[in-house]
Every structure is written in structure tokens, then in C-alpha cells.
Amino acid sequence: MTKYHQQVAGTTYAFDGLVDVLAKASPRRSGDELAGCAAESDAERAAALWVLADLPLGRFLDEQVVPYESDDVTRLILDRHDEAAFAPVAHLTVGGFRDWLLATAALPDAAARLTAVSRGLTPEMVAAVSKTMRHQDLVAVARATRVTSAFRTTIGAPGTLATRLQPNHPTDDPRGIAAAVLDGLLLGCGDAVVGINPATDSPQAAADLLELLDGVRQRYDIPAQSCVLTHVTTTLDLIHRGAPVDLVFQSIAGTQGANESFGVTLPLLFEAEEAARSLGRGTVGDNVMYLETGQGSALSAGAHIGAGGRPVDQQTLEARAYGLARELNPLLVNTVVGFIGPEYLYDGRQIVRAGLEDHFCGRLLGLPMGVDVCYTNHAEADHNDTDTLLLLLGAAGCAFVITVPGADDVMLGYQSLSFHDVLTARNVLGLRPAPEFERWLIRTGLADGSGRILPVDPAAGPLWELAGA
């Protein structure tokens, strides 16, 4: 293992391999302090950043953060690495790559150039360069990328901000779910997915919820996709039983051990993608996977140890989850940025930074990246922080965000974005819903020709029938 050294103000700091450099160079966050891998001072963090900026990008191909022989995510990332795509940036250091990204983002053909190198980048390279960047850098480069996916709507088209309509209910009551769906549709939400976190693990309950959502979609001819966020094995069983499955959902992480803690393997994920795609339920595309991630998941599973037995920082592990995600051709990927709690992201400042990092890394790796802009009630955060992150993500070209009634998920017990929060962001930033969904909103009289949501007369709209479902 390579030892790295850097002197700052007369003090020499030593780092044991890439794992240690990446961890110590990370912006301060409580999860890394919990794992025991964070820098002990701002001076040590500056020294680590200095070392990191001078490292050649090729070093990340030669020195693995998580060993190749013991981790299938590492093997997937390296075995599918595209050397030809890497060639234009192979001569750069991490600091030089930062400069290249910022210069490229300002060019008229930035999207094409960034797409051309995407498959040549490993998650560790992308995580490394993100650590050297300010917030505005993360926004500028992410905005310059172009990543789209499609099923019944097109996700990630330039100038759009889609939403997951999350109508969770503590008892999966159909009337409560229908009311939340109605609320979201009337406010122009649901174009990414109408996705329910079920209150139980019952396969029959999941099947009933799928039937409910698909019935609403067909009855009102809504160009949207639905999903019940149950385990991938349950969804596979529902596919075989003939349930109306649009998307396969699964939480994933950046190490083999963390994925095993979720009860998933790579062959199982690829099997699920193939099974869902074979149904042919999409109309404008065939991306069928919905993958969810979050900084700290590997640490919470005790599966965060890398080369040399050292803990890997949570942001690098998060980026590795995106390296797995891109091989599954997903419709949607989102980080649930503040959901695990203040043990991993302590306050609004850390949550905002993590959300921008995650979005940047996902986009640079070629993913239709979304963010659940959220926090738990015991975190040092409030809705001013979520407002800040939402507007920054909207400026950065984020594909979609999560929305719940009143910004309060009463089933999962955390704070996210409300439907009207997204209306504000779209209005302020000049963004629109997914194009197929926007045409439906206009056709039903819910929006005007510019996509702006209109007041609704209860006596005039057929959607009000949902209130009595």
C-alpha cells in the first residue's frame, strides 16, 4: 500500500493509501467521524486534499479502495471499465481533471464531451474530484451533463424537473393513498413515478397497491409509471404472478457486504431487470429499474471496510453504488440524502453538501439522478435547508425529486419536499414537468400551455372522483 505525505505549516501529515487520503480529504461529516476515518483538523483535511489533487487519475485503476478479490462491486466496476473512453483524461491528475471539467462545462458541446468520457470514469475518480470542488462547481458541471431515461415519461430532458409522487399511508388504506395521489396530480406531480413505500412486507398487499395505482393510471389515461417499493424478490414473484409491475425497485449500496445486508446479489438484480423489461409495459422507453441509495448505508450495515482494513468514507462508497446502478440501465436513481439521520449527516450544511455531491457523481457517471431532499426530525436541519438544496439541484439539472403531502411523510416519519415546493422551484427556475406528463396536464385542464398549474374547479374535473375511491 502506498504511503502519502504532505507538509502544511511545518507539520507533515501521513496517509495510508487511497482509502485514507479520500477519507481525510472529505468535507466534514458526522458519519465519517463515527467510522473513525475523518480528518482530525482542517489542516489535515487541507493536506489530504493537496495529496488528492496531485494524484494521477490512473492511480484509481491500479490501487483499489475496496479489494477486487473480495468485492463483486469492485470487480464489476473494473471489469467493465472503458479504456477508450478514459483515454482523453487519462493523463490528468485529480486537480487537473477538476480544471478540465470546469473548462469543458463552459463549452457549447459540453454534454457530448462529458458523455464521451463517462464510461471511462470509475466511481472513485468521480468521488475524488468532487471533494476538490465548491458547491458552484458541482452545480456547473452537473448542469452541463445530459442524461435521459424513459418508460412512459422521459426523465432528465433539459429544462425539466420531474417528481416522484409518494402517497405513503401508515396502514396502506386505499382511500388515504387515493387522496394523496389526487393531491399530487392536481399539483402537477407524479411524472417520474407514483411510488408507494408499503407499510407491510405482504406480497398480497403489494399486489393490491399495484392494482390500485395501475387502475388510476388507466382510468385517467395518465402517462406515468407506478411502483411499490418492496424487495426485489417480492417484485420478481409479483411479475411471475401477473401483477401490473412497471418498475423494479431496490435499495443498493457500494460494497458487496452492504448489498448482501439488503438481501440482494448482482445476478439477482440483473435477473430482475430482464424480467421487468420482458413485460414490455413502457411506451416511450424500456428503462425498468428504480434504485435508491444513501450516504451511510454501508456504515450502518458494518460493510464499509476497504483496503488495508481501513474504513472507507461514506461519500466514496455512495459513488460506488452509482457504478453498480449504471450497469442496470435504470429509469430512476435517487439518493435519500438525509433519511438515515444525524449520525451520518449531522445538520443542514452537511445534508446540502451531500446532496450536491451525490447528484454530481451520479450525473458524471451517466445516471438519471434524483434526490430525496429530506431530513429526520432529530437532525439539526429545517425546511430552509431543503429549500436551499432544492433550488441548487434545480439549477444543477436534477432529473427528479421526491414529493409527499405537506412535506411530511406520516408513514416513514421524516420530512421531505411537498408538492407545492416543486411548483415554486419550477416557477423560479423556469423548469417544466416531463414532456409526456405535461401534455396530459394541459389536456386535462390542470395546466396552461406553458406548464403552469391552474386553479381547479371541483365540479369540473374528473380527477375529483379519486377522492371517493
Side-chain angles (χ1 to χ4, degrees):
M1 181 182 297
T2 305
K3 293 273 190 177
Y4 301 94
H5 301 83
Q6 182 61 51
Q7 188 177 87
V8 175
T11 299
T12 299
Y13 296 90
F15 307 97
D16 294 329
L18 276 183
V19 172
D20 199 24
V21 173
L22 286 165
K24 296 294 198 303
S26 294
R28 184 181 180 185
R29 64 201 60 200
S30 53
D32 292 338
E33 292 171 343
L34 178 65
C37 64
E40 295 183 2
S41 66
D42 289 339
E44 185 179 28
R45 184 172 294 110
L49 275 168
W50 196 331
V51 170
L52 186 63
D54 286 341
L55 288 179
L57 286 181
R59 185 69 54 83
F60 294 91
L61 299 174
D62 300 328
E63 185 178 345
Q64 280 77 61
V65 170
V66 181
Y68 181 93
E69 60 274 9
S70 62
D71 189 272
D72 58 6
V73 177
T74 300
R75 293 194 292 273
L76 183 73
I77 290 167
L78 292 179
D79 290 350
R80 299 197 180 185
H81 179 253
D82 188 332
E83 291 186 6
F86 181 54
V89 295
H91 63 290
L92 297 174
T93 63
V94 171
F97 184 44
R98 172 189 177 273
D99 294 342
W100 183 90
L101 287 171
L102 292 171
T104 300
L107 298 175
D109 60 346
R113 290 172 181 259
L114 294 171
T115 298
V117 302
S118 178
R119 294 294 307 189
L121 304 176
T122 68
E124 290 85 354
M125 294 175 192
V126 172
V129 76
S130 76
K131 298 174 192 295
T132 71
M133 303 178 91
R134 292 170 53 186
H135 288 186
Q136 66 173 345
D137 302 336
L138 298 172
V139 170
V141 175
R143 182 181 179 85
T145 63
R146 291 290 180 270
V147 182
T148 60
S149 59
F151 190 75
R152 293 194 188 96
T153 58
T154 301
I155 306 301
T160 66
L161 175 62
T163 57
R164 170 181 159 193
L165 197 171
Q166 184 168 294
N168 294 346
H169 192 277
T171 64
D172 290 339
D173 176 53
R175 289 177 62 88
I177 290 170
V181 171
L182 170 64
D183 189 16
L185 291 173
L186 292 177
L187 289 170
C189 293
D191 44 344
V193 64
V194 181
I196 301 174
N197 296 93
T200 73
D201 293 328
S202 163
Q204 186 56 54
D208 291 343
L209 291 173
L210 284 171
E211 293 286 355
L212 169 64
L213 294 181
D214 199 57
V216 171
R217 178 188 67 82
Q218 292 194 60
R219 182 172 183 177
Y220 301 105
D221 193 26
I222 307 171
Q225 39 278 336
S226 63
C227 186
V228 174
L229 282 65
T230 189
H231 193 269
V232 61
T233 53
T234 301
T235 305
L236 271 170
D237 179 61
L238 292 172
I239 289 174
H240 297 321
R241 289 166 52 181
V245 173
D246 288 341
L247 307 181
V248 175
F249 170 83
Q250 183 56 50
S251 295
I252 62 170
T255 66
Q256 179 175 337
N259 286 318
E260 288 173 350
S261 77
F262 292 148
V264 298
T265 63
L266 303 195
L268 178 62
L269 293 170
F270 288 111
E271 176 189 353
E273 183 205 1
E274 182 179 356
R277 186 171 289 182
S278 71
L279 300 177
R281 290 174 59 84
T283 55
V284 296
D286 63 353
N287 299 114
V288 295
M289 299 297 285
Y290 179 12
L291 304 170
E292 201 159 72
T293 68
Q295 287 195 27
S297 59
L299 173 58
S300 66
H304 61 296
I305 303 301
R310 300 191 67 91
V312 184
D313 70 275
Q314 65 186 38
Q315 191 253 334
T316 297
L317 291 177
E318 173 72 4
R320 283 170 52 87
Y322 306 153
L324 166 58
R326 70 176 171 183
E327 303 301 335
L328 292 163
N329 306 300
L331 176 75
L332 307 168
V333 180
N334 73 258
T335 169
V336 189
V337 71
F339 180 72
I340 301 182
E343 300 87 352
Y344 303 90
L345 295 169
Y346 179 73
D347 56 16
R349 180 176 182 174
Q350 292 186 14
I351 289 170
V352 168
R353 174 71 192 189
L356 294 176
E357 288 171 346
D358 292 353
H359 178 255
F360 165 88
C361 290
R363 290 292 289 261
L364 205 53
L365 290 169
L367 292 175
M369 197 69 198
V371 178
D372 189 351
V373 180
C374 62
Y375 61 93
T376 57
N377 287 319
H378 60 310
E380 292 295 321
D382 60 27
H383 280 295
N384 288 312
D385 299 307
T386 56
D387 288 348
T388 297
L389 181 52
L390 172 60
L391 292 171
L392 286 169
L393 288 169
C398 185
F400 72 102
V401 293
I402 314 296
T403 55
V404 302
D408 183 12
D409 191 309
V410 295
M411 194 273 279
L412 292 176
Y414 79 117
Q415 305 300 307
S416 188
L417 298 175
S418 70
F419 305 135
H420 62 269
D421 289 334
V422 174
L423 291 188
T424 298
R426 285 173 175 166
N427 184 51
V428 168
L429 299 172
L431 301 171
R432 303 173 77 146
E436 300 85 358
F437 191 79
E438 182 182 71
R439 289 193 289 270
W440 176 79
L441 290 171
I442 294 170
R443 187 170 69 247
T444 56
L446 294 176
D448 63 18
S450 64
R452 186 184 298 271
I453 298 299
L454 298 170
V456 175
D457 178 359
L463 283 173
W464 284 98
E465 298 170 10
L466 269 176

